[in-house]
Amino acid sequence: MTAAARPGTGLAPARDPRRIVVGERIHVVGAAGAGASAAALHARWAGADPDGCDPGGPSPYSRAVEAAGIHMAWEHAAGHVTRTPAPDRLAVTKALTAIAPDHPELVAARTAGIPIEAWQQVIADAAVARTLIGVAGTHGKSTSAGWLVHVLAEAGADPSAFVGALLPAALTGGVPATARQGGGAAFVVEADEYAGNFDAYHPEIAIVTSAEWDHPDVFPDRAAVVAAFDVWIRGMGESAWAVVNVADPGVAELAGRLRDWPGRLVATALVEADARRAGTIARGMAEAYATAGGPAEALLGRVVRFEPEATILEIHGLDAVRGPIIVRLPSAGRHNAANALGVAAAAARAGLGPSAIAPGLATFPGIGRRLERKGEVAGVAVYDDYGHHPTAIRATLGAVRQREPGRRIWAVYEPLTFHRTAALFDDFADVLAEADGVAIAEIWAGRDADMTVASAVGLAEAVAARNPRIPVAAPGTVEATAAWLAGEVRSGDVVLVMGGGRSYRIAELLIEALADR
């Protein structure tokens, strides 16, 4: 990748947060996106005068923006910048600088000397003087961030937040949105490692759920991913705490690199060992993951059993007085039990006691597009999920089998970017072949320029070669994929739709088609 094409080229570097000025004119480019919409909302709540644009038209995220009275233009145009009065700054996604470095609004802002910043900077500015809690990791950061917001809200802590998936209306107090306005001290942010997206955030408490190779356009290998998390954590204050899931190999490597860091770690892990050995394991973890700030704290979990409607988790180290506590998690999958430990640890560092944390863990309703059950029509259950990495797909397939035991599971995938599909091609084929039926929609290009390195048809052929006993197809567009599925599924089946881009439409269209069948 050339320097000119690198995401973030031409943007102002991340800086220390400053308070948003009342009346500040902030123009948000791509404001119908998950993150940029949250930036527009937090700018408005902080007293700024934001507006936004997005040529993609209304989205599930833009409803909240318009409901807040923020003007949206459904096009990109230099006039959004050259108008009078002009914006005081532009907030954009870093990927835009790689996709369209000569974008008319970027060119107009540079010509006029108007600062261009990542939209994450706006959220960081909105969080000034709050207790910032950053939730990071290759997988599970949206679920963990949303779960933490729920735990804090249920305990009366009234947090503000940005989460990269829709929070339910019951949690936002209005329409579903990726942002929450609260009056409490805590401000929870999902902190994305891609191209340094999390550089603007300097949290007092951090969670790192996992560290695995992804985003091959910016990270050449896992070591580069781990190094990015290392730099980010070292940018936190000396009194900061990082909650690290050391059962994940990449995070364990990260934690081992932090022995000279002045902050402190809370090491979490799901273990299989007998509960009576928990104390011994915890003492070993405290020593193994000590930093210059002192020994690590340890929080252990043991899955007692998996049920269709719940995961029963035994937690050690949260309550020093009562000892182990049992929580009935409403989520499915071992990965979500691990996420729950991170949430519990962060909530404890934020000041909540065990009696306040446990009820929040047990009542989390979930967030948008994270194993979201869209409905069951004609005996076919349909789920929608954002999973777009082989590890996430495997975990989500396992969670669906927990939810829907004994049923035929279809994995329906819209690959997110050509370069990721090419880099992890064999892993994608291996995991998709574990399903009982597979449909692969056209690849969503995103920021890709080279669309020759992979194809949906090629991936489907690789899946079929690995498991010739199952039906496999690459029907084409998301519309064509939904139509093909409607003719293939039968009563008793479960369809798990996964991917970024427009994959959510497959679930919606399939439900409509089944209702008309």
Side-chain angles (χ1 to χ4, degrees), residues 26-71:
I26 302 175
H27 178 58
V28 183
V29 181
S37 63
L41 288 167
H42 278 298
R44 167 58 57 87
W45 296 333
D49 181 20
D51 71 299
C53 66
D54 200 309
S59 75
Y61 309 110
S62 64
R63 287 181 56 211
V65 176
E66 294 187 291
I70 299 170
H71 175 70

mmCIF file of all heavy atoms in Angstrom, residues 26-71:
data_model
loop_
_atom_site.group_PDB
_atom_site.id
_atom_site.type_symbol
_atom_site.label_atom_id
_atom_site.label_comp_id
_atom_site.label_asym_id
_atom_site.label_seq_id
_atom_site.Cartn_x
_atom_site.Cartn_y
_atom_site.Cartn_z
ATOM 1 N N ILE A 26 -19.453 21.565 13.311
ATOM 2 C CA ILE A 26 -18.737 20.332 12.985
ATOM 3 C C ILE A 26 -19.487 19.624 11.872
ATOM 4 O O ILE A 26 -20.649 19.238 12.039
ATOM 5 C CB ILE A 26 -18.620 19.416 14.222
ATOM 6 C CG1 ILE A 26 -17.904 20.139 15.367
ATOM 7 C CG2 ILE A 26 -17.886 18.125 13.857
ATOM 8 C CD1 ILE A 26 -17.847 19.341 16.663
ATOM 9 N N HIS A 27 -18.833 19.477 10.733
ATOM 10 C CA HIS A 27 -19.443 18.791 9.598
ATOM 11 C C HIS A 27 -18.947 17.344 9.593
ATOM 12 O O HIS A 27 -17.739 17.090 9.504
ATOM 13 C CB HIS A 27 -19.078 19.485 8.289
ATOM 14 C CG HIS A 27 -19.626 18.797 7.075
ATOM 15 N ND1 HIS A 27 -20.971 18.573 6.882
ATOM 16 C CD2 HIS A 27 -18.984 18.259 5.987
ATOM 17 C CE1 HIS A 27 -21.151 17.945 5.737
ATOM 18 N NE2 HIS A 27 -19.961 17.742 5.182
ATOM 19 N N VAL A 28 -19.871 16.395 9.698
ATOM 20 C CA VAL A 28 -19.535 14.978 9.788
ATOM 21 C C VAL A 28 -19.777 14.324 8.430
ATOM 22 O O VAL A 28 -20.921 14.249 7.967
ATOM 23 C CB VAL A 28 -20.360 14.282 10.886
ATOM 24 C CG1 VAL A 28 -19.937 12.825 11.012
ATOM 25 C CG2 VAL A 28 -20.202 15.007 12.221
ATOM 26 N N VAL A 29 -18.707 13.863 7.821
ATOM 27 C CA VAL A 29 -18.784 13.227 6.509
ATOM 28 C C VAL A 29 -19.043 11.734 6.704
ATOM 29 O O VAL A 29 -18.355 11.069 7.468
ATOM 30 C CB VAL A 29 -17.481 13.449 5.715
ATOM 31 C CG1 VAL A 29 -17.578 12.797 4.337
ATOM 32 C CG2 VAL A 29 -17.182 14.945 5.585
ATOM 33 N N GLY A 30 -20.060 11.225 6.009
ATOM 34 C CA GLY A 30 -20.423 9.818 6.193
ATOM 35 C C GLY A 30 -21.220 9.595 7.458
ATOM 36 O O GLY A 30 -21.110 8.549 8.116
ATOM 37 N N ALA A 31 -22.071 10.548 7.801
ATOM 38 C CA ALA A 31 -22.740 10.553 9.099
ATOM 39 C C ALA A 31 -23.831 9.498 9.247
ATOM 40 O O ALA A 31 -24.427 9.389 10.321
ATOM 41 C CB ALA A 31 -23.331 11.940 9.381
ATOM 42 N N ALA A 32 -24.110 8.723 8.210
ATOM 43 C CA ALA A 32 -25.061 7.624 8.346
ATOM 44 C C ALA A 32 -24.375 6.335 8.778
ATOM 45 O O ALA A 32 -25.026 5.301 8.914
ATOM 46 C CB ALA A 32 -25.825 7.396 7.043
ATOM 47 N N GLY A 33 -23.064 6.388 9.001
ATOM 48 C CA GLY A 33 -22.326 5.222 9.460
ATOM 49 C C GLY A 33 -22.459 5.023 10.951
ATOM 50 O O GLY A 33 -22.875 5.923 11.700
ATOM 51 N N ALA A 34 -22.056 3.853 11.409
ATOM 52 C CA ALA A 34 -22.217 3.508 12.824
ATOM 53 C C ALA A 34 -21.453 4.464 13.728
ATOM 54 O O ALA A 34 -22.000 4.975 14.719
ATOM 55 C CB ALA A 34 -21.750 2.073 13.058
ATOM 56 N N GLY A 35 -20.179 4.720 13.415
ATOM 57 C CA GLY A 35 -19.380 5.566 14.283
ATOM 58 C C GLY A 35 -19.607 7.044 14.058
ATOM 59 O O GLY A 35 -19.726 7.822 15.013
ATOM 60 N N ALA A 36 -19.662 7.451 12.794
ATOM 61 C CA ALA A 36 -19.822 8.873 12.497
ATOM 62 C C ALA A 36 -21.154 9.405 12.997
ATOM 63 O O ALA A 36 -21.266 10.560 13.421
ATOM 64 C CB ALA A 36 -19.680 9.110 10.998
ATOM 65 N N SER A 37 -22.197 8.565 12.973
ATOM 66 C CA SER A 37 -23.493 9.012 13.508
ATOM 67 C C SER A 37 -23.384 9.291 15.000
ATOM 68 O O SER A 37 -23.979 10.257 15.512
ATOM 69 C CB SER A 37 -24.567 7.951 13.242
ATOM 70 O OG SER A 37 -24.270 6.732 13.915
ATOM 71 N N ALA A 38 -22.613 8.465 15.709
ATOM 72 C CA ALA A 38 -22.413 8.703 17.145
ATOM 73 C C ALA A 38 -21.646 9.997 17.381
ATOM 74 O O ALA A 38 -21.929 10.734 18.336
ATOM 75 C CB ALA A 38 -21.672 7.522 17.765
ATOM 76 N N ALA A 39 -20.674 10.291 16.515
ATOM 77 C CA ALA A 39 -19.925 11.540 16.649
ATOM 78 C C ALA A 39 -20.851 12.747 16.489
ATOM 79 O O ALA A 39 -20.762 13.727 17.236
ATOM 80 C CB ALA A 39 -18.803 11.588 15.620
ATOM 81 N N ALA A 40 -21.750 12.675 15.509
ATOM 82 C CA ALA A 40 -22.695 13.781 15.312
ATOM 83 C C ALA A 40 -23.587 13.959 16.531
ATOM 84 O O ALA A 40 -23.843 15.092 16.981
ATOM 85 C CB ALA A 40 -23.538 13.516 14.063
ATOM 86 N N LEU A 41 -24.060 12.855 17.091
ATOM 87 C CA LEU A 41 -24.935 12.939 18.257
ATOM 88 C C LEU A 41 -24.201 13.496 19.474
ATOM 89 O O LEU A 41 -24.715 14.389 20.165
ATOM 90 C CB LEU A 41 -25.506 11.557 18.584
ATOM 91 C CG LEU A 41 -26.556 11.041 17.602
ATOM 92 C CD1 LEU A 41 -26.818 9.559 17.817
ATOM 93 C CD2 LEU A 41 -27.857 11.835 17.740
ATOM 94 N N HIS A 42 -23.002 13.009 19.742
ATOM 95 C CA HIS A 42 -22.267 13.504 20.905
ATOM 96 C C HIS A 42 -21.864 14.962 20.722
ATOM 97 O O HIS A 42 -21.814 15.732 21.699
ATOM 98 C CB HIS A 42 -21.056 12.623 21.193
ATOM 99 C CG HIS A 42 -21.405 11.392 21.980
ATOM 100 N ND1 HIS A 42 -21.929 11.459 23.257
ATOM 101 C CD2 HIS A 42 -21.328 10.073 21.668
ATOM 102 C CE1 HIS A 42 -22.140 10.234 23.717
ATOM 103 N NE2 HIS A 42 -21.805 9.378 22.776
ATOM 104 N N ALA A 43 -21.587 15.361 19.484
ATOM 105 C CA ALA A 43 -21.301 16.777 19.235
ATOM 106 C C ALA A 43 -22.512 17.635 19.590
ATOM 107 O O ALA A 43 -22.386 18.676 20.258
ATOM 108 C CB ALA A 43 -20.903 16.981 17.772
ATOM 109 N N ARG A 44 -23.692 17.201 19.163
ATOM 110 C CA ARG A 44 -24.915 17.950 19.480
ATOM 111 C C ARG A 44 -25.133 18.013 20.993
ATOM 112 O O ARG A 44 -25.424 19.070 21.554
ATOM 113 C CB ARG A 44 -26.096 17.298 18.770
ATOM 114 C CG ARG A 44 -27.498 17.762 19.222
ATOM 115 C CD ARG A 44 -27.709 19.280 19.077
ATOM 116 N NE ARG A 44 -27.498 19.772 17.744
ATOM 117 C CZ ARG A 44 -28.431 19.803 16.787
ATOM 118 N NH1 ARG A 44 -29.649 19.351 17.049
ATOM 119 N NH2 ARG A 44 -28.161 20.281 15.597
ATOM 120 N N TRP A 45 -24.987 16.881 21.669
ATOM 121 C CA TRP A 45 -25.223 16.853 23.116
ATOM 122 C C TRP A 45 -24.210 17.694 23.887
ATOM 123 O O TRP A 45 -24.490 18.178 24.978
ATOM 124 C CB TRP A 45 -25.201 15.410 23.610
ATOM 125 C CG TRP A 45 -26.303 14.560 23.052
ATOM 126 C CD1 TRP A 45 -27.534 14.992 22.631
ATOM 127 C CD2 TRP A 45 -26.288 13.151 22.823
ATOM 128 N NE1 TRP A 45 -28.277 13.930 22.157
ATOM 129 C CE2 TRP A 45 -27.542 12.785 22.269
ATOM 130 C CE3 TRP A 45 -25.339 12.149 23.032
ATOM 131 C CZ2 TRP A 45 -27.863 11.473 21.928
ATOM 132 C CZ3 TRP A 45 -25.645 10.838 22.687
ATOM 133 C CH2 TRP A 45 -26.898 10.502 22.151
ATOM 134 N N ALA A 46 -23.018 17.893 23.285
ATOM 135 C CA ALA A 46 -21.994 18.712 23.932
ATOM 136 C C ALA A 46 -22.181 20.203 23.656
ATOM 137 O O ALA A 46 -21.406 21.023 24.154
ATOM 138 C CB ALA A 46 -20.609 18.275 23.463
ATOM 139 N N GLY A 47 -23.181 20.549 22.841
ATOM 140 C CA GLY A 47 -23.471 21.954 22.577
ATOM 141 C C GLY A 47 -23.011 22.457 21.234
ATOM 142 O O GLY A 47 -23.180 23.643 20.928
ATOM 143 N N ALA A 48 -22.422 21.587 20.407
ATOM 144 C CA ALA A 48 -21.980 22.002 19.081
ATOM 145 C C ALA A 48 -23.164 22.124 18.124
ATOM 146 O O ALA A 48 -24.305 21.769 18.456
ATOM 147 C CB ALA A 48 -20.962 21.007 18.530
ATOM 148 N N ASP A 49 -22.883 22.616 16.936
ATOM 149 C CA ASP A 49 -23.878 22.725 15.870
ATOM 150 C C ASP A 49 -23.441 21.823 14.720
ATOM 151 O O ASP A 49 -22.886 22.286 13.728
ATOM 152 C CB ASP A 49 -23.983 24.185 15.420
ATOM 153 C CG ASP A 49 -25.025 24.373 14.314
ATOM 154 O OD1 ASP A 49 -25.901 23.496 14.169
ATOM 155 O OD2 ASP A 49 -24.944 25.383 13.587
ATOM 156 N N PRO A 50 -23.674 20.516 14.841
ATOM 157 C CA PRO A 50 -23.199 19.598 13.804
ATOM 158 C C PRO A 50 -24.188 19.465 12.651
ATOM 159 O O PRO A 50 -25.389 19.715 12.784
ATOM 160 C CB PRO A 50 -23.075 18.274 14.561
ATOM 161 C CG PRO A 50 -24.197 18.338 15.556
ATOM 162 C CD PRO A 50 -24.299 19.794 15.964
ATOM 163 N N ASP A 51 -23.678 19.055 11.514
ATOM 164 C CA ASP A 51 -24.502 18.603 10.401
ATOM 165 C C ASP A 51 -23.751 17.453 9.749
ATOM 166 O O ASP A 51 -22.583 17.199 10.060
ATOM 167 C CB ASP A 51 -24.785 19.728 9.409
ATOM 168 C CG ASP A 51 -23.547 20.107 8.611
ATOM 169 O OD1 ASP A 51 -22.549 20.536 9.238
ATOM 170 O OD2 ASP A 51 -23.537 19.956 7.382
ATOM 171 N N GLY A 52 -24.423 16.738 8.868
ATOM 172 C CA GLY A 52 -23.786 15.577 8.280
ATOM 173 C C GLY A 52 -24.177 15.368 6.837
ATOM 174 O O GLY A 52 -25.132 15.966 6.332
ATOM 175 N N CYS A 53 -23.431 14.502 6.167
ATOM 176 C CA CYS A 53 -23.771 14.125 4.800
ATOM 177 C C CYS A 53 -23.411 12.663 4.592
ATOM 178 O O CYS A 53 -22.525 12.127 5.268
ATOM 179 C CB CYS A 53 -23.050 15.010 3.780
ATOM 180 S SG CYS A 53 -21.258 14.827 3.767
ATOM 181 N N ASP A 54 -24.102 12.025 3.663
ATOM 182 C CA ASP A 54 -23.818 10.632 3.325
ATOM 183 C C ASP A 54 -24.543 10.294 2.032
ATOM 184 O O ASP A 54 -25.780 10.312 2.001
ATOM 185 C CB ASP A 54 -24.265 9.695 4.445
ATOM 186 C CG ASP A 54 -23.573 8.343 4.374
ATOM 187 O OD1 ASP A 54 -23.587 7.733 3.293
ATOM 188 O OD2 ASP A 54 -23.016 7.907 5.394
ATOM 189 N N PRO A 55 -23.814 9.978 0.976
ATOM 190 C CA PRO A 55 -24.472 9.682 -0.298
ATOM 191 C C PRO A 55 -25.170 8.329 -0.306
ATOM 192 O O PRO A 55 -25.932 8.034 -1.228
ATOM 193 C CB PRO A 55 -23.324 9.701 -1.306
ATOM 194 C CG PRO A 55 -22.122 9.314 -0.500
ATOM 195 C CD PRO A 55 -22.348 9.927 0.859
ATOM 196 N N GLY A 56 -24.915 7.512 0.728
ATOM 197 C CA GLY A 56 -25.560 6.208 0.796
ATOM 198 C C GLY A 56 -27.017 6.261 1.194
ATOM 199 O O GLY A 56 -27.709 5.244 1.145
ATOM 200 N N GLY A 57 -27.485 7.425 1.592
ATOM 201 C CA GLY A 57 -28.879 7.561 1.995
ATOM 202 C C GLY A 57 -29.108 7.130 3.430
ATOM 203 O O GLY A 57 -28.184 6.730 4.148
ATOM 204 N N PRO A 58 -30.351 7.203 3.887
ATOM 205 C CA PRO A 58 -30.678 6.851 5.271
ATOM 206 C C PRO A 58 -30.257 5.422 5.602
ATOM 207 O O PRO A 58 -30.277 4.527 4.754
ATOM 208 C CB PRO A 58 -32.196 7.018 5.329
ATOM 209 C CG PRO A 58 -32.514 8.007 4.238
ATOM 210 C CD PRO A 58 -31.532 7.710 3.147
ATOM 211 N N SER A 59 -29.881 5.215 6.849
ATOM 212 C CA SER A 59 -29.431 3.915 7.329
ATOM 213 C C SER A 59 -30.052 3.659 8.694
ATOM 214 O O SER A 59 -30.675 4.555 9.286
ATOM 215 C CB SER A 59 -27.907 3.906 7.454
ATOM 216 O OG SER A 59 -27.504 4.653 8.601
ATOM 217 N N PRO A 60 -29.880 2.464 9.239
ATOM 218 C CA PRO A 60 -30.371 2.231 10.606
ATOM 219 C C PRO A 60 -29.745 3.170 11.636
ATOM 220 O O PRO A 60 -30.329 3.397 12.692
ATOM 221 C CB PRO A 60 -29.966 0.771 10.870
ATOM 222 C CG PRO A 60 -29.912 0.138 9.519
ATOM 223 C CD PRO A 60 -29.391 1.217 8.609
ATOM 224 N N TYR A 61 -28.561 3.716 11.313
ATOM 225 C CA TYR A 61 -27.871 4.597 12.256
ATOM 226 C C TYR A 61 -28.298 6.055 12.119
ATOM 227 O O TYR A 61 -28.191 6.830 13.067
ATOM 228 C CB TYR A 61 -26.359 4.488 12.040
ATOM 229 C CG TYR A 61 -25.853 3.077 12.026
ATOM 230 C CD1 TYR A 61 -25.384 2.486 10.846
ATOM 231 C CD2 TYR A 61 -25.861 2.302 13.180
ATOM 232 C CE1 TYR A 61 -24.928 1.182 10.823
ATOM 233 C CE2 TYR A 61 -25.407 0.990 13.164
ATOM 234 C CZ TYR A 61 -24.942 0.437 11.987
ATOM 235 O OH TYR A 61 -24.511 -0.869 11.964
ATOM 236 N N SER A 62 -28.749 6.433 10.939
ATOM 237 C CA SER A 62 -29.063 7.851 10.713
ATOM 238 C C SER A 62 -30.394 8.263 11.321
ATOM 239 O O SER A 62 -30.655 9.454 11.474
ATOM 240 C CB SER A 62 -29.052 8.163 9.210
ATOM 241 O OG SER A 62 -30.067 7.440 8.528
ATOM 242 N N ARG A 63 -31.249 7.303 11.663
ATOM 243 C CA ARG A 63 -32.543 7.662 12.266
ATOM 244 C C ARG A 63 -32.352 8.497 13.519
ATOM 245 O O ARG A 63 -33.052 9.499 13.734
ATOM 246 C CB ARG A 63 -33.337 6.395 12.609
ATOM 247 C CG ARG A 63 -33.928 5.655 11.438
ATOM 248 C CD ARG A 63 -34.712 4.446 11.923
ATOM 249 N NE ARG A 63 -35.739 4.820 12.891
ATOM 250 C CZ ARG A 63 -36.159 4.043 13.890
ATOM 251 N NH1 ARG A 63 -35.632 2.848 14.067
ATOM 252 N NH2 ARG A 63 -37.108 4.462 14.709
ATOM 253 N N ALA A 64 -31.410 8.093 14.359
ATOM 254 C CA ALA A 64 -31.176 8.827 15.608
ATOM 255 C C ALA A 64 -30.611 10.214 15.336
ATOM 256 O O ALA A 64 -30.916 11.173 16.058
ATOM 257 C CB ALA A 64 -30.235 8.035 16.507
ATOM 258 N N VAL A 65 -29.787 10.327 14.298
ATOM 259 C CA VAL A 65 -29.205 11.623 13.945
ATOM 260 C C VAL A 65 -30.306 12.598 13.541
ATOM 261 O O VAL A 65 -30.366 13.739 14.020
ATOM 262 C CB VAL A 65 -28.175 11.454 12.813
ATOM 263 C CG1 VAL A 65 -27.639 12.811 12.364
ATOM 264 C CG2 VAL A 65 -27.024 10.552 13.265
ATOM 265 N N GLU A 66 -31.181 12.147 12.673
ATOM 266 C CA GLU A 66 -32.275 13.025 12.240
ATOM 267 C C GLU A 66 -33.257 13.292 13.365
ATOM 268 O O GLU A 66 -33.802 14.398 13.475
ATOM 269 C CB GLU A 66 -32.970 12.407 11.028
ATOM 270 C CG GLU A 66 -32.068 12.357 9.791
ATOM 271 C CD GLU A 66 -32.803 11.911 8.547
ATOM 272 O OE1 GLU A 66 -33.199 10.725 8.473
ATOM 273 O OE2 GLU A 66 -32.996 12.755 7.653
ATOM 274 N N ALA A 67 -33.487 12.290 14.224
ATOM 275 C CA ALA A 67 -34.394 12.492 15.360
ATOM 276 C C ALA A 67 -33.857 13.554 16.315
ATOM 277 O O ALA A 67 -34.636 14.220 17.010
ATOM 278 C CB ALA A 67 -34.599 11.173 16.108
ATOM 279 N N ALA A 68 -32.525 13.739 16.340
ATOM 280 C CA ALA A 68 -31.918 14.763 17.194
ATOM 281 C C ALA A 68 -31.945 16.145 16.551
ATOM 282 O O ALA A 68 -31.440 17.112 17.132
ATOM 283 C CB ALA A 68 -30.479 14.375 17.522
ATOM 284 N N GLY A 69 -32.528 16.227 15.344
ATOM 285 C CA GLY A 69 -32.626 17.511 14.664
ATOM 286 C C GLY A 69 -31.373 17.926 13.928
ATOM 287 O O GLY A 69 -31.211 19.099 13.571
ATOM 288 N N ILE A 70 -30.485 16.981 13.671
ATOM 289 C CA ILE A 70 -29.246 17.275 12.945
ATOM 290 C C ILE A 70 -29.517 17.156 11.446
ATOM 291 O O ILE A 70 -30.018 16.131 10.980
ATOM 292 C CB ILE A 70 -28.131 16.302 13.371
ATOM 293 C CG1 ILE A 70 -27.844 16.463 14.872
ATOM 294 C CG2 ILE A 70 -26.865 16.521 12.543
ATOM 295 C CD1 ILE A 70 -26.931 15.397 15.441
ATOM 296 N N HIS A 71 -29.182 18.192 10.715
ATOM 297 C CA HIS A 71 -29.447 18.187 9.267
ATOM 298 C C HIS A 71 -28.543 17.197 8.558
ATOM 299 O O HIS A 71 -27.325 17.144 8.791
ATOM 300 C CB HIS A 71 -29.222 19.579 8.675
ATOM 301 C CG HIS A 71 -29.350 19.603 7.182
ATOM 302 N ND1 HIS A 71 -30.551 19.443 6.519
ATOM 303 C CD2 HIS A 71 -28.396 19.750 6.200
ATOM 304 C CE1 HIS A 71 -30.352 19.492 5.219
ATOM 305 N NE2 HIS A 71 -29.055 19.679 4.999
#
